């Protein structure tokens, strides 16, 4: 009998067992012509381990596990013919001092619906995929950085719900597939980023305190149902990114904390192994088996579930030993510094491995500090992430846009500063869920002025964001002007789409997305000055920004003009990069977008004349309305 071989143990001990999820956990097996379930768990400090579940009426001594040789590795195994797919189970761990711990399986592929905490036996080896076209295209991607990426960030449990049901009213993964795909594809997003997919016990954590790193949450259905969602999105040309949380884990009794009676997945010293502010445990990135646990989880999502990228949460908390800690609560590294050398090496390993084995996939860092070379190559001292969330841009952008327009002239630099460091990393511009909760207000409510001004401000804000270099991410509900802050306890206020202004804002953002996807100038050279040129970055008195986005082949460059005040500039003239005709692609003041001008009432084309403006030999005249945005294609 045996599932876990000496070779498996060796690879596990080297953190190089890349399909560890096929070995540890509960898996259908046939041994000596008997069919059943083979259970394997890592618990080196345990004195004894038993499998308890519905198949043995939770009898604590019915199914003991045997410790495999070499015993020091700490793998326990049991084959149970009576166990079947769908059965609930836990591990009963007897500690050396005689305590009983009832633990869910760290490698379980499925879990009991909360508030239950047991694992559930599942078979994830027989998924039916029909997304070959998408997967082949992903493999053949020449340069991920030259591809468009406009991400719709989604919390599945509160995106849309069934009204009037006695349960939570959640859409299942299968129900969500059609509804979410229809919306996302119609809008023009290229990707969805799903929050809270790895199993977690507490709804209010939004999925950022994980107990099941190998299991899609059962809140919305089975693993097969989740595959259906991913497969459906792929078949309709939409990429899927998951939030992934290797930074910390909760202390729930059934979880990873003190798993076998001692610190196992976490650092043993609480100065290394605990987040005082968060009340959670920190993974031990120096322990091979723990690194393998995390690496195996990431690879499973990417390779087994066809996920296109992982957004790694709370990277800064992993990199800094003193993150969120006071003096005396942390230990310096061997050089006397606050850098977690083991976490740094972990990132270099996993990022190189994931993107090396899976061409076309991405690893995204939510890193909130100025740590250098987050997206730099590992062999040159970088962490080798594909992208980094641009938190600096986000804070400056929101600070500026929330100001009364009268005061914006004194803060003009907040919108231009990000270009001074744009080439230092590969960035994603983010307006995420974190910015519309905890009394931070929705994007609509952040905008100054009366109701009409809020909508006009938001259109100019989104225009600047979409034109600015960097991939894009917007949290659900903000593209139609959700009025209330987001809450995981209710669905988005979709009824607002019945009101003209919200519907018009949604149509405007859709237009921005379609322009973004259509013109390579908008995304091909995000981190290259060859892809961007300021026309006028210094028009602070009028609070107007003008710039050009350029494609690699020099064709179809786009000129953006954004007026950030309610003052009309009827005599406005903007310098242009060259002689020629400039075709008006977008006028934010059209009636279909809630503006005051009849649709298509503006001339379609503007011929540049030899008239110096903004330091340019040629310019065009374009009467600029209050909060007006104009986007031109350079013919």
């Amino acid at each position: 009998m045996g599932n876990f071989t000496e070779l498996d143990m060796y690879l596990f001990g080297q953190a190089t067992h890349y399909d560890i999820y096929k070995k540890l956990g509960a898996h259908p097996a046939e041994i000596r012509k008997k069919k059943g379930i083979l259970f394997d768990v890592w618990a080196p400090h345990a004195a004894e381990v038993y499998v308890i579940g519905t198949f043995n009426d939770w009898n604590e001594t019915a199914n003991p596990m045997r410790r495999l040789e070499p015993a020091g590795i700490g793998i326990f195994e049991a084959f149970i013919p009576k166990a079947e797919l769908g059965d609930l189970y836990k591990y009963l761990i007897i500690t050396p001092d005689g305590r009983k711990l009832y633990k869910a399986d760290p490698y379980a592929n499925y879990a009991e619906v909360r508030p239950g905490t047991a694992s559930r036996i599942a078979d994830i080896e027989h998924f039916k995929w029909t997304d070959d076209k998408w997967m082949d295209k992903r493999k053949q991607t020449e340069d991920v950085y030259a591809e468009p990426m406009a991400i719709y960030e989604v919390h599945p449990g509160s995106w849309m719900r069934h009204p009037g049901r006695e349960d939570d009213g959640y859409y299942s993964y299968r129900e969500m597939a059609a509804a979410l795909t229809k919306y996302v594809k119609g809008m023009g997003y290229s990707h969805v980023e799903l929050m809270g997919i790895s199993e977690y016990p507490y709804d209010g954590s939004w999925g950022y305190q994980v107990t099941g790193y190998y299991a899609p949450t059962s809140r919305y259905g089975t693993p097969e149902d989740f595959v259906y969602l991913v497969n459906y999105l792929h078949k309709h040309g939409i990429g899927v990114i998951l939030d992934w949380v290797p930074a910390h884990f909760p202390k729930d009794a059934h979880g990873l904390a003190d798993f076998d009676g001692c610190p196992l997945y976490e650092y043993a010293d609480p100065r290394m192994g605990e987040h005082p502010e968060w009340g959670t445990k920190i993974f031990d990135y120096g322990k091979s088996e723990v690194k393998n646990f995390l690496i195996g989880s990431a690879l499973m999502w990417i390779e087994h579930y066809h996920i296109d990228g992982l957004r790694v949460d709370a990277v800064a908390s992993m990199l800094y030993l003193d993150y969120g800690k006071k003096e005396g609560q942390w230990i310096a590294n061997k050089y006397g510094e606050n850098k977690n050398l083991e976490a740094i090496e972990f990132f270099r390993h996993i990022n190189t491995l994931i993107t090396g084995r899976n061409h076309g996939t991405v690893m995204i860092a939510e890193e909130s500090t100025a740590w250098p070379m987050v997206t730099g190559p590992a062999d040159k001292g970088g962490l080798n992430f594909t992208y980094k969330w641009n938190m600096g841009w986000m804070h400056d952008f929101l600070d500026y846009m929330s100001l009364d327009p009268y005061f914006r002239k004194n803060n003009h630099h907040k919108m231009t500063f990000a270009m001074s460091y744009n080439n230092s990393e590969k960035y994603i511009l983010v307006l995420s869920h974190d910015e519309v909760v905890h009394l931070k207000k929705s994007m609509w409510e952040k905008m100054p002025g009366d109701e009409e001004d809020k909508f006009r401000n938001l259109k100019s804000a989104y225009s600047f964001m979409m034109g600015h270099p960097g991939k894009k991410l917007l949290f659900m509900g903000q593209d139609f002007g959700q009025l209330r802050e987001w809450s995981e306890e209710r669905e988005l206020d979709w009824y607002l789409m019945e009101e003209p202004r919200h519907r018009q804002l949604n149509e405007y953002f859709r237009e921005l997305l379609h322009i973004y996807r259509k013109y390579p100038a908008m995304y091909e050279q995000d981190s290259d000055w060859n892809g961007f040129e300021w026309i006028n970055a210094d028009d602070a008195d009028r609070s107007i920004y003008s710039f050009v986005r350029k494609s690699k082949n020099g064709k179809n460059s786009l000129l953006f003009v954004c007026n950030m005040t309610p003052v009309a500039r009827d005599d406005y003239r903007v310098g242009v990069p060259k002689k020629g005709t400039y075709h008006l692609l977008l006028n934010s003041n059209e009636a279909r977008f809630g503006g005051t001008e009849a649709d298509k009432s503006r001339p379609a084309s503007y011929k540049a004349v030899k008239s110096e403006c903004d330091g340019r030999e040629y310019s065009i005249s374009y009467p600029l309305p209050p909060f007006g945005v104009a986007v031109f294609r350079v013919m």
Side-chain angles (χ1 to χ4, degrees), residues 324-569:
K325 298 178 180 179
K326 300 174 183 178
E327 189 172 348
Q329 292 182 329
W330 63 283
I331 305 173
N333 65 26
K334 62 184 179 181
Y335 302 113
E337 301 171 335
N338 67 341
K339 299 176 181 178
N340 189 331
L341 302 178
E342 294 167 344
I344 293 169
E345 188 55 40
F346 169 76
F347 280 134
R348 290 172 178 162
H349 181 178
I350 193 170
N351 290 333
T352 303
L353 177 69
I354 293 287
T355 55
R357 280 172 55 117
N358 302 278
H359 185 72
T361 59
V362 297
M363 295 293 285
I364 303 167
E366 188 249 329
E367 201 286 313
S368 56
T369 74
W371 187 280
M373 297 185 67
V374 171
T375 57
D379 59 1
K380 295 184 179 179
L383 300 181
N384 212 32
F385 279 97
T386 316
Y387 293 109
K388 173 181 175 176
W389 274 18
N390 196 335
M391 310 293 277
W393 172 87
M394 179 269 295
H395 286 299
D396 287 344
F397 174 83
L398 293 179
D399 285 349
Y400 179 88
M401 291 307 308
S402 63
L403 289 170
D404 184 300
Y406 179 82
F407 299 105
R408 287 178 177 172
K409 61 185 177 182
N410 298 320
N411 291 269
H412 195 76
H413 64 283
K414 286 186 179 291
M415 298 287 267
T416 61
F417 180 62
M419 283 308 302
S420 69
Y421 60 83
N422 184 66
N423 292 9
S424 64
E425 302 278 7
K426 304 293 193 301
Y427 285 116
I428 297 178
L429 307 186
V430 293
L431 297 174
S432 74
H433 66 279
D434 275 330
E435 310 317 315
V436 294
V437 291
H438 297 156
L439 303 180
K440 293 180 183 177
K441 304 178 181 179
S442 68
M443 283 298 299
W444 182 88
E445 199 177 358
K446 290 179 195 290
M447 299 298 108
D450 59 19
E451 181 175 310
E452 181 179 359
D453 279 353
K454 286 180 182 295
F455 281 105
R456 295 194 299 179
N457 267 290
L458 207 47
K459 285 190 293 180
S460 60
Y462 288 158
S463 302
F464 185 89
M465 174 189 182
M466 294 300 292
H468 193 285
K471 309 308 181 188
K472 324 296 178 188
L473 179 144
L474 186 68
F475 184 57
M476 64 183 196
Q478 309 314 303
D479 57 7
F480 62 77
Q482 171 92 11
L483 301 181
R484 297 188 290 177
E485 284 189 334
W486 169 63
S487 169
E488 80 282 354
E489 296 180 351
R490 60 175 183 258
E491 74 166 9
L492 297 180
D493 293 335
W494 289 106
Y495 65 85
L496 292 173
M497 289 285 277
E498 301 299 319
E499 300 183 14
R501 289 193 182 279
H502 292 275
R503 191 169 61 250
Q504 290 158 349
L505 174 64
N506 189 247
E507 172 65 18
Y508 184 74
F509 196 76
R510 189 189 77 86
E511 192 75 11
L512 284 172
L513 285 169
H514 282 261
I515 290 173
Y516 173 79
R517 297 284 299 276
K518 181 176 180 179
Y519 293 98
M522 295 281 278
Y523 55 80
E524 269 190 341
Q525 303 187 94
D526 278 322
S527 301
D528 191 330
W529 273 106
N530 290 323
F532 178 87
E533 181 181 358
W534 284 114
I535 296 297
N536 193 336
D538 303 314
D539 195 352
D541 286 342
R542 296 188 296 180
S543 297
I544 298 174
Y545 300 89
S546 53
F547 55 87
V548 173
R549 296 300 308 276
K550 304 174 184 177
S551 61
K552 288 182 178 179
N553 64 13
K555 297 180 180 178
N556 291 322
S557 296
L558 300 185
L559 168 65
F560 277 72
V561 178
C562 302
N563 179 11
M564 298 299 188
T565 72
V567 180
R569 307 293 179 181

Side-chain angles (χ1 to χ4, degrees), residues 10-18 288-289 291-292 295 349:
Y10 172 78
L11 294 174
F12 187 47
Q14 299 297 310
T16 56
H17 201 313
Y18 297 143
S288 293
E289 295 88 348
K291 286 190 291 186
N292 207 149
I295 290 168
H349 181 178

Side-chain angles (χ1 to χ4, degrees), residues 562-592:
C562 302
N563 179 11
M564 298 299 188
T565 72
V567 180
R569 307 293 179 181
D570 294 331
D571 60 348
Y572 183 71
R573 180 171 290 276
V574 60
V576 293
K578 63 181 182 180
K579 181 181 179 180
T581 301
Y582 291 75
H583 178 69
L584 182 63
L585 286 181
L586 183 65
N587 168 19
S588 66
N589 199 38
E590 287 190 3
R592 63 188 173 123

